[in-house]
Amino acid sequence: MATASGPTVRKRQLGAELRRLRESAGKRIEDVAEHLECSMSKISRVETGQAPIKARDVRDLLAWFGVEDPVQVEAVMQIHKDAQQQGWWAHYEEVLPSGMATYAGLESDAVALRAYEPIFVHGLLQTEDYARAVIAAVRPGEPEEVERLVRFRMQRQDLLSRRPDPLELWVVVEEAALRRPVGGEEVMAAQIKHLIHAAALPNVTIQVMPTAKGAHAAMAGTFALLEFGTKAPTVVYVDSIAGNVYLEKERDVRRFIQTFDLVRAAGPDPQETPAILENIAREIHKT
């Protein structure tokens, strides 16, 4: 397992440490906001790793919190320094939907990802043509941005062949998503063939949830569990047209873990996936 952490996880580590030190010092978020002359929402976002903070403000807070051990101070400042690095996704930030840069950072730092997909093939498993058709549908009239977003999505997929520790991916996708003719018959045929090849990778598990199964635990919508091993706690990502939500409270994470466990238990054995995909491909070809 890789031990290095990317900037997104380091921001979360910095925020968590500043929150811990604040609470140990008996300070409230309101107190910190007044001390740094900024909003409470800014401090809240710093403590959850969603907003940057200047190095001098970190040192100021450490002194104000009564942190005097120079080793501890330098350890925190090193986390801050590491958090300032730019990830590969920074090149695309101007065209990314709100919150997607944060997701890309979390995904890049994750050691495992478990996702439920009711509408589309997961982005890490999409072919270039399928991705182009999906993105163009939601970004009509923006061909240059569409192409940049396609390149961004394809670059994300490098995680599956990352060395020495490729991302462990487990996706449950609804059968209905695979029968939606995104991009047309040829694009879908190539996409399903790609899924068959992906399912053969040792670090990828794909389950197809049959429509005939009826109702199940995950029908509320798309979500993903991003796991970081010992580097950071698991994060839940919930995607919707209203925006992206990240959940980190233990009770929320536990609820989504239970939901994913229930839905994958309700689905077919992953060993059946190639046969299921081949059957769907044959049926699409007949239509």
Side-chain angles (χ1 to χ4, degrees):
M1 182 182 297
T3 57
S5 298
T8 303
V9 161
R10 297 302 266 179
K11 285 177 184 175
R12 294 176 65 220
Q13 290 175 333
L14 175 65
E17 182 63 7
L18 291 176
R19 180 173 64 249
R20 185 187 70 80
L21 293 170
R22 171 179 63 77
E23 292 172 347
S24 295
K27 307 291 186 183
R28 302 170 302 166
I29 286 181
E30 300 97 298
D31 300 328
V32 178
E34 182 178 353
H35 183 75
L36 293 182
E37 298 182 345
C38 64
S39 67
M40 288 172 54
S41 63
K42 169 68 181 292
I43 301 304
S44 180
R45 286 184 290 117
V46 166
E47 290 189 353
T48 55
Q50 299 178 56
I53 182 171
K54 294 178 180 178
R56 67 169 180 267
D57 287 339
V58 174
R59 286 193 180 276
D60 181 7
L61 288 179
L62 293 177
W64 191 49
F65 294 156
V67 179
E68 299 178 348
D69 182 351
V71 174
Q72 186 178 9
V73 170
E74 287 311 307
V76 174
M77 295 311 300
Q78 185 61 50
I79 296 174
H80 177 273
K81 181 179 179 180
D82 293 342
Q84 306 314 302
Q85 299 172 7
Q86 282 198 328
W88 64 264
W89 55 90
H91 176 67
Y92 299 97
E93 284 199 57
E94 63 189 44
V95 298
L96 293 181
S98 177
M100 194 61 206
T102 298
Y103 177 82
L106 291 171
E107 188 180 69
S108 293
D109 284 334
V111 297
L113 190 157
R114 293 182 280 170
Y116 167 68
E117 289 286 348
I119 301 175
F120 302 116
V121 172
H122 192 277
L124 292 179
L125 298 172
Q126 293 179 7
T127 65
E128 185 172 328
D129 287 338
Y130 182 97
R132 183 173 292 107
V134 169
I135 296 169
V138 297
R139 302 286 284 262
E142 303 175 11
E144 291 185 6
E145 290 192 5
V146 166
E147 289 307 310
R148 291 193 66 189
L149 288 169
V150 170
R151 291 197 297 273
F152 165 75
R153 189 161 297 182
M154 294 301 102
Q155 191 166 348
R156 282 172 54 203
Q157 296 181 7
D158 291 345
L159 293 171
L160 297 179
S161 56
R162 179 179 61 193
R163 293 291 179 265
D165 301 298
L167 178 71
E168 295 285 338
L169 178 66
W170 189 312
V171 174
V172 179
V173 59
E174 288 286 346
E175 177 186 355
L178 302 179
R179 294 186 180 278
R180 184 184 300 275
V182 174
E185 183 180 306
E186 289 187 8
V187 171
M188 283 308 302
Q191 175 62 73
I192 292 175
K193 183 177 180 180
H194 180 69
L195 289 176
I196 293 172
H197 290 313
L201 295 173
N203 57 308
V204 176
T205 302
I206 301 172
Q207 286 179 283
V208 179
M209 180 62 71
T211 303
K213 275 285 185 180
H216 58 72
M219 292 184 68
T222 304
F223 70 90
L225 292 156
L226 297 119
E227 302 171 5
F228 306 93
T230 59
K231 295 186 294 185
T234 297
V235 173
V236 177
Y237 168 77
V238 181
D239 188 16
S240 75
I241 196 168
N244 308 321
V245 178
Y246 297 93
L247 304 174
E248 300 182 58
K249 291 183 179 179
E250 185 178 350
R251 66 175 181 272
D252 294 328
V253 173
R254 185 169 59 249
R255 178 164 57 89
F256 275 90
I257 290 174
Q258 292 171 344
T259 298
F260 189 81
D261 287 344
L262 286 171
V263 73
R264 68 178 178 181
D269 190 305
Q271 292 185 353
E272 299 177 31
T273 296
I276 293 172
L277 291 171
E278 288 169 0
N279 184 57
I280 292 173
R282 283 194 297 269
E283 293 183 9
I284 290 175
H285 188 68
K286 291 178 182 177
T287 60

